Amino acid sequence: AQSVAQPEDQVNVAEGNPLTVKCTYSVSGNPYLFWYVQYPNRGLQFLLKYITGDNLVKGSYGFEAEFNKSQTSFHLKKPSALVSDSALYFCAVRGFQGGKLIFGQGTELSVKP
Amino acid sequence: DTGVSQNPRHKITKRGQNVTFRCDPISEHNRLYWYRQTLGQGPEFLTYFQNEAQLEKSRLLSDRFSAERPKGSFSTLEIQRTEQGDSAMYLCASSLEGVVSEKLFFGSGTQLSVL
């Protein structure tokens, strides 16, 4: 069975500092990995995905994520955080057969001025 | 692209009543998903369709829940004999599945409160 773990309920970062939101996964075969963001009173929005190829994936709003197969991780990163990045971030995985997307429990990112 | 539309936005009902939610996906999308989200948790998979065929239903979903997607366009999710534990945000998403795994587009959800 596929699963995703986000070990941190909350991440606090000062504006301008780099940020990392952690994600580890478990799936049979090669994974398809995704990051979504949820702003208050807004729907989930796609940030980026890893399917195959380069382990460093670039996405929307300056975010990127690094796929590490040996550590089964897919951490979300941004070199310089903005206050407007404050939101809920969800990592998700699906198996190579396709089908449902399984989400982690989410990490609340708080960026302070 | 008008996005994924869900109706109603909010639903308040009394325990034991039946409720039905509607989802209109992005028009060319062949897959439609239903998820449930409670406060502080990630979206929990309920079921999904490819065109009009329901391909998977979560084992966590009781037989009080049923979903349909007639004609492969809009979908409805019905909950019979609602319980207080059904209170949650119900999310719909759609995608265009092809050779490469595609991203899901989510609606704004229907917030259900069971009193």
Side-chain angles (χ1 to χ4, degrees), chain A residues 15-109:
Chain A
E15 188 174 31
N17 283 1
L19 70 87
T20 298
V21 183
K22 295 180 181 177
C23 171
T24 58
Y25 67 89
S26 174
V27 69
S28 300
N30 293 323
Y32 297 150
L33 294 158
F34 300 78
W35 276 99
Y36 282 80
V37 60
Q38 189 172 39
Y39 298 102
N41 301 314
R42 301 272 297 275
L44 283 151
Q45 297 178 32
F46 169 82
L47 271 182
L48 51 79
K49 67 178 179 181
Y50 171 83
I51 303 300
T52 186
D54 194 348
N55 289 342
L56 186 64
V57 179
K58 294 189 183 296
S60 307
Y61 313 122
F63 283 92
E64 56 190 26
E66 186 169 12
F67 171 64
N68 187 317
K69 188 173 183 177
S70 63
Q71 297 185 1
T72 61
S73 67
F74 189 57
H75 300 331
L76 182 70
K77 301 181 179 184
K78 187 173 183 180
S80 179
L82 299 173
V83 172
S84 57
D85 292 331
S86 299
L88 266 173
Y89 290 81
F90 294 97
C91 182
V93 68
R94 73 197 312 189
F96 69 95
Q97 309 98 325
K100 65 191 177 196
L101 199 59
I102 299 299
F103 286 84
Q105 70 272 31
T107 299
E108 185 176 359
L109 174 66

Side-chain angles (χ1 to χ4, degrees), chain B residues 6-110:
Chain B
Q6 291 189 247
N7 288 288
R9 290 295 305 274
H10 305 275
K11 179 70 177 179
I12 300 174
T13 191
K14 293 183 179 179
R15 190 174 52 191
Q17 297 294 305
N18 299 343
V19 295
T20 300
F21 310 140
R22 177 178 170 124
C23 172
D24 288 273
I26 293 171
S27 58
E28 65 269 24
H29 284 185
N30 52 2
R31 283 208 177 168
L32 188 148
Y33 301 79
W34 285 100
Y35 285 83
R36 176 172 61 189
Q37 186 178 22
T38 54
L39 202 61
Q41 299 296 316
E44 175 191 19
F45 170 78
L46 296 179
T47 188
Y48 85 96
F49 295 82
Q50 173 126 341
N51 300 314
E52 64 274 14
Q54 188 173 20
L55 295 189
E56 187 173 350
K57 184 175 176 180
S58 170
R59 287 174 294 173
L60 301 175
L61 213 57
S62 79
D63 56 8
R64 296 185 298 107
F65 287 72
S66 62
E68 293 183 340
R69 193 184 182 197
K71 303 177 183 178
S73 55
F74 72 93
S75 176
T76 58
L77 178 68
E78 181 183 17
I79 308 174
Q80 296 181 329
R81 305 181 302 281
T82 52
E83 301 172 357
Q84 287 185 326
D86 297 331
S87 295
M89 177 74 81
Y90 288 83
L91 299 172
C92 177
S94 70
S95 70
L96 180 62
E97 294 294 320
V99 175
V100 177
S101 184
E102 260 303 330
K103 61 189 180 187
L104 272 59
F105 291 81
F106 281 84
S108 298
T110 294

